Structure formats: C-alpha cells, structure tokens
Amino acid sequence: MNGVNIGVLAVQGDVAENVLATQMALEDLGIIGTVNEVKTPEQISDIDGLIIPGGESTVIGTLSMVNGALKKIKEKIANGMPVFGICAGMILLSKKAKDRVVGEMDQPLLDFLDVKIERNAFGRQQDSFESEISLEKIGISKFPGVFIRAPSIIESGKNVEVLSKFNEKIVAVKQGNIVGTSFHPELTGDLSLHKYFVNLVKTKH
Ligand code: GLN
C-alpha cells in the first residue's frame, strides 16, 4: 500500500516547522508517508491530508484564492480529506471571522468549520504567551500552548466538538475530519497533536 501524502500549505507562515513536526510524527509512529509543501491546485489534488499553518490569514487566504488553491482545498475537504488548521489556518477553515479591534472582516474563508472566530482575541498586552492546556477528549492531558496573536472561537455549532478552552475561551476544536487550534504545536517540540493528525489521515487513507 502507498504511504500517506501530507501537504503543508506553503503560502506564508510557519511552513517549515510544520513540515518538520509532521515528518517527525510519521517517523515516531512508524507510518510510511511523505510530507510536502503544497501551493498549486495540482499539488493539492495529490494529498491525503493538509495542514494550514499559522501566519496571517488574510495573506494566506487571498493568495490561495488568486491561484485557485482555495477552490481545490474546498473540493478536497468536501470529499473527506482531513485538515488541520493552526491559528491563521483555523481562521481560514471557519465560516465567520471578525477582528477584535477592526470588527467584521471581508476576507476569503473556506467556510467549513461551523464557528465564529474572533481574531487577535487575546489582546495586545498579551499578543504572545505560553500556557499549559489540556485536550483530554483526544487523550492529550497536558500540552504546551504557544499563542501568537491568537484567535479564539466565540460561537460554535452543534456539530463542533470543543477540545480545549483557555481562560473560558475555546482554543481547539474538531468537526469531523477538521481539526483547529488557536495555538502553535509546531513550535513546541511536543509532537502529540501532529501525531493525532497523522493518525487521522492514516485512518482515512
Ligand atoms: N492574527 C493572525 C490572523 O488573524 C493569526 C496569528 C497566527 O497565525 N499566529 O490571521
């Protein structure tokens, strides 16, 4: 059987860190597969799972719309491809996003994750911080949460499972094959969330 082919959307943001973390997760789990940076619709059509990294959601969204990647990603998710959206990536997966200061934003979104997101939800004084969080539902009792101008989820639909909260704010969710986190697991050296995602991809493969 062929190995799994996991893509990391390579437009802007934490691309290299996610490639590395995913490669290490595959290796640790003994799962045969490859991890590739993907950008074009052709590259995206070949993958079994996608990570949309953190960065700037307006930039990643706009550039991916222009080259047709967004349309291809939508098609693949609609066909059941697992996707892991990290920070800006989770914003892109959502149905609705507004900025804490600027308010409603007209930005391209993938429109799958049934949540309303507040961008930059943790305020300026706390732009970036680290705090231990827990994702018991998926068997991760302790995780180092690295929050960088992080969003939070302010409303979520019935089909959305809340995986973690921090200070009463929702910071990790799952809806079917879609996983989203406000924080950046690729910057921690803790591979448990990347392993969780790799297993999800493997199961659907
Ligand atoms: N604040 C960024 C945005 O709204 C997300 C930050 C991040 O991905 N670390 O797109």
Side-chain angles (χ1 to χ4, degrees), residues 54-58 86-88 91 119-120 148-149 184:
E56 183 54 44
S57 59
T58 50
I86 297 171
C87 202
I91 298 172
R119 296 176 59 196
N120 302 306
I148 303 169
R149 295 188 305 110
H184 286 260

Side-chain angles (χ1 to χ4, degrees), residues 157-178:
K158 278 207 286 296
N159 45 346
V160 176
E161 221 181 319
V162 173
L163 299 182
S164 184
K165 282 188 180 179
F166 173 73
N167 277 357
E168 309 292 307
K169 294 181 198 262
I170 300 173
V171 294
V173 288
K174 180 170 190 288
Q175 176 188 325
N177 293 329
I178 303 175

Side-chain angles (χ1 to χ4, degrees), residues 110-192:
L110 285 159
D111 200 23
F112 273 101
L113 194 55
D114 190 13
V115 297
K116 183 168 182 188
I117 293 209
E118 184 177 56
R119 296 176 59 196
N120 302 306
F122 294 91
R124 217 164 253 188
Q125 75 284 8
Q126 279 181 306
D127 265 356
S128 305
F129 60 95
E130 205 173 325
S131 182
E132 190 178 286
I133 54 162
S134 150
L135 302 98
E136 295 284 0
K137 276 195 188 150
I138 56 169
I140 302 171
S141 54
K142 267 197 215 167
F143 195 86
V146 174
F147 294 80
I148 303 169
R149 295 188 305 110
S152 77
I153 288 172
I154 50 178
E155 280 171 38
S156 63
K158 278 207 286 296
N159 45 346
V160 176
E161 221 181 319
V162 173
L163 299 182
S164 184
K165 282 188 180 179
F166 173 73
N167 277 357
E168 309 292 307
K169 294 181 198 262
I170 300 173
V171 294
V173 288
K174 180 170 190 288
Q175 176 188 325
N177 293 329
I178 303 175
V179 183
T181 63
S182 295
F183 50 88
H184 286 260
E186 77 287 0
L187 299 179
T188 63
D190 186 323
L191 294 175
S192 45

Side-chain angles (χ1 to χ4, degrees), residues 2-145:
N2 289 335
V4 293
N5 180 6
I6 299 179
V8 177
L9 186 63
V11 175
Q12 185 264 338
D14 273 359
V15 178
E17 294 84 347
N18 273 295
V19 170
L20 200 66
T22 312
Q23 279 167 341
M24 292 197 293
L26 282 171
E27 211 170 288
D28 267 24
L29 292 166
I31 295 175
I32 297 172
T34 51
V35 186
N36 290 298
E37 294 189 8
V38 294
K39 200 185 303 197
T40 65
E42 294 71 34
Q43 291 166 334
I44 292 162
S45 60
D46 282 345
I47 55 177
D48 306 308
L50 177 70
I51 295 180
I52 309 180
E56 183 54 44
S57 59
T58 50
V59 175
I60 302 175
T62 307
L63 294 176
S64 303
M65 186 173 66
V66 171
N67 80 344
L70 221 51
K71 189 162 167 262
K72 185 45 103 185
I73 295 171
K74 275 190 180 199
E75 209 179 284
K76 297 277 289 189
I77 299 176
N79 284 325
M81 176 185 72
V83 57
F84 181 12
I86 297 171
C87 202
M90 178 173 78
I91 298 172
L92 279 172
L93 286 165
S94 73
K95 286 187 179 285
K96 231 175 174 6
K98 71 173 184 78
D99 189 89
R100 199 176 70 98
V101 179
V102 184
E104 298 289 338
M105 300 272 303
D106 188 19
Q107 66 179 114
L109 299 174
L110 285 159
D111 200 23
F112 273 101
L113 194 55
D114 190 13
V115 297
K116 183 168 182 188
I117 293 209
E118 184 177 56
R119 296 176 59 196
N120 302 306
F122 294 91
R124 217 164 253 188
Q125 75 284 8
Q126 279 181 306
D127 265 356
S128 305
F129 60 95
E130 205 173 325
S131 182
E132 190 178 286
I133 54 162
S134 150
L135 302 98
E136 295 284 0
K137 276 195 188 150
I138 56 169
I140 302 171
S141 54
K142 267 197 215 167
F143 195 86

